[in-house]
Amino acid sequence: MVSRADRGIFAEWWWTVDKYLLFSMLALMITGVVLSLAGSPPVAERIGLDSFHFTTRHVLFLIPTIAIMLATSMLSPQKARRTALIVFIVAIVLMFLTLFVGQEVKGARRWINVIGFSLQPSEFMKPAFIVLSAWLFTENSRRSDIPGNIFAILLLTIVVALLVAQPDLGQTMLVVIAWSAVFFMAGLSWYWILALAGLGAGGVLAAYTVFPHFAGRINRFLDPGTGDTFQVDTAMQSILGGGWFGRGPGEGVVKRILPDSHTDFIFAVAAEEYGILVCIGLVLVFAFIVVRGLSHSLKNEDPFIRLSSAGLIVMFGVQSVINMSVNLNLVPAKGMTLPFISYGGSSMLALAFQMGLVLALTRRRFEPIRLTAGLGRYGNAAKAGAV
């Protein structure tokens, strides 16, 4: 048991971090391992690997994932901002290099080999970008000599250009939504709201016109008869086949022909083997993290902490909603992982950094005004006693 009298780094962290948020995230990680056991063996067997190849790697990635999240959660707001700046610069450089020396998968260059490890730099760029944008918006309101809004827009332009060049339109949309949420909370005018809405609509139209795969996904969603909808249809069969209580662990049938059952469609596997009730419980855990995180953000008086933590939580929530909505055929198909549940090394490590920042920024801290007032009273009493 950690004593409240202990003034060590770990003790201070333990008594100030939101344990409900912390254990909710750990619960998602453990659930991810369980669902990896259910969803990954069929995929591994289809490509000639050991049945538990992806599960083993998932568990191995879980160790640095937890370490990164805990280490990041111990940062002060100032160190969190500086760390985000370093991560952002490195990620942007790697994203640029990826366009030339990255691995091409299904016509996109999103991965780069770093010291023998296949890395997706855009995953790490996202949380760092949101924190830096929040800082720029904050500085814009604090100091009239710093055009923070303009710099934030320039950063967004760079990020969007690199993502579209890969291309990765799903991540582009996710980043723009989170950035827009931060800008909105920073107090943008209706002029900006209308301008951003117009740019967003124009961007979607341009993507539909320029990128055939994006247009194909939209068309298949609106009219399934226009293309191949095997994966989405199979996911729906998997969900419906599980019913309320599921077929039982390891008893899934439809999952065996679901191509991405260990990544984008692991939610469907959860429904088939454990039932809709378990999926509802999973949704409630995600909802709890989002609501509690936003509650902390709105209560904080520091604008930087309020904007950055809220932006990170919005990005986490939107990503979760997109993944589950794709599984339920509520939105066009998009390759996006379910946070801490889907298999994926870069995704897990980047999410650990992202949610570690949330834990760091939402930690309880002393209020300087009250502390000063208290010292003032004691100081005056001491002076009176001295006289």
Side-chain angles (χ1 to χ4, degrees), residues 118-331:
S118 188
L119 189 74
Q120 189 173 359
S122 60
E123 291 284 356
F124 296 88
M125 174 278 300
K126 294 185 299 183
F129 169 67
I130 294 300
V131 171
L132 290 181
S133 296
W135 176 69
L136 289 170
F137 290 138
T138 302
E139 289 301 302
N140 186 85
S141 61
R142 283 177 176 171
R143 300 176 56 182
S144 58
D145 60 321
I146 297 181
N149 289 358
I150 301 300
F151 287 143
I153 292 173
L154 289 175
L155 277 187
L156 176 67
T157 304
I158 295 171
V159 166
V160 168
L162 288 172
L163 286 173
V164 171
Q166 290 183 349
D168 193 341
L169 302 183
Q171 295 285 18
T172 303
M173 187 178 299
L174 179 61
V175 167
V176 170
I177 290 173
W179 182 89
S180 299
V182 175
F183 199 2
F184 178 80
M185 288 181 283
L188 78 166
S189 65
W190 281 104
Y191 170 80
W192 279 109
I193 294 176
L194 294 175
L196 288 174
L199 287 173
V204 172
L205 181 60
Y208 183 86
T209 304
V210 175
F211 298 103
H213 72 281
F214 181 79
R217 288 176 177 176
I218 300 295
N219 293 336
R220 287 194 298 272
F221 176 73
L222 296 176
D223 182 8
T226 60
D228 180 19
T229 58
F230 173 78
Q231 185 139 257
V232 174
D233 293 340
T234 306
M236 287 301 298
Q237 292 177 24
S238 186
I239 293 171
L240 295 173
W244 288 102
F245 304 102
R247 299 178 184 270
E251 299 299 321
V253 177
V254 182
K255 71 172 187 180
R256 299 185 182 281
I257 58 172
L258 189 58
D260 294 325
S261 60
H262 63 317
T263 52
D264 302 342
F265 289 90
I266 198 165
F267 187 76
V269 175
E272 182 177 19
E273 296 209 346
Y274 296 96
I276 295 174
L277 289 178
V278 168
C279 287
I280 292 174
L282 194 59
V283 170
L284 291 176
V285 174
F286 280 106
F288 174 79
I289 292 174
V290 172
V291 172
R292 191 168 181 87
L294 288 177
S295 176
H296 278 304
S297 302
L298 295 175
K299 291 177 182 177
N300 202 295
E301 296 181 1
D302 187 307
F304 165 69
I305 294 177
R306 183 168 62 249
L307 293 178
S308 54
S309 57
L312 293 169
I313 284 291
V314 166
M315 188 160 61
F316 175 85
V318 171
Q319 180 173 340
S320 307
V321 169
I322 290 176
N323 177 277
M324 291 183 279
S325 297
V326 168
N327 279 250
L328 295 169
N329 199 24
L330 297 176
V331 298

Side-chain angles (χ1 to χ4, degrees), residues 365-386:
R365 291 179 174 84
F366 293 112
E367 296 184 23
I369 296 177
R370 293 182 181 178
L371 184 60
T372 304
L375 290 174
R377 289 197 298 271
Y378 289 121
N380 292 336
K383 288 180 181 178

Side-chain angles (χ1 to χ4, degrees), residues 87-105:
V87 171
F88 179 78
I89 292 173
V90 173
I92 287 294
V93 171
L94 290 177
M95 286 176 67
F96 179 76
L97 293 176
T98 299
L99 299 177
F100 302 98
V101 297
Q103 305 166 12
E104 185 172 341
V105 180

Side-chain angles (χ1 to χ4, degrees), residues 75-85 131 135 302 304-305 360-361 365:
L75 297 174
S76 65
Q78 185 182 45
K79 290 181 179 179
R81 185 174 67 245
R82 292 174 179 174
T83 303
L85 176 60
V131 171
W135 176 69
D302 187 307
F304 165 69
I305 294 177
L361 295 168
R365 291 179 174 84

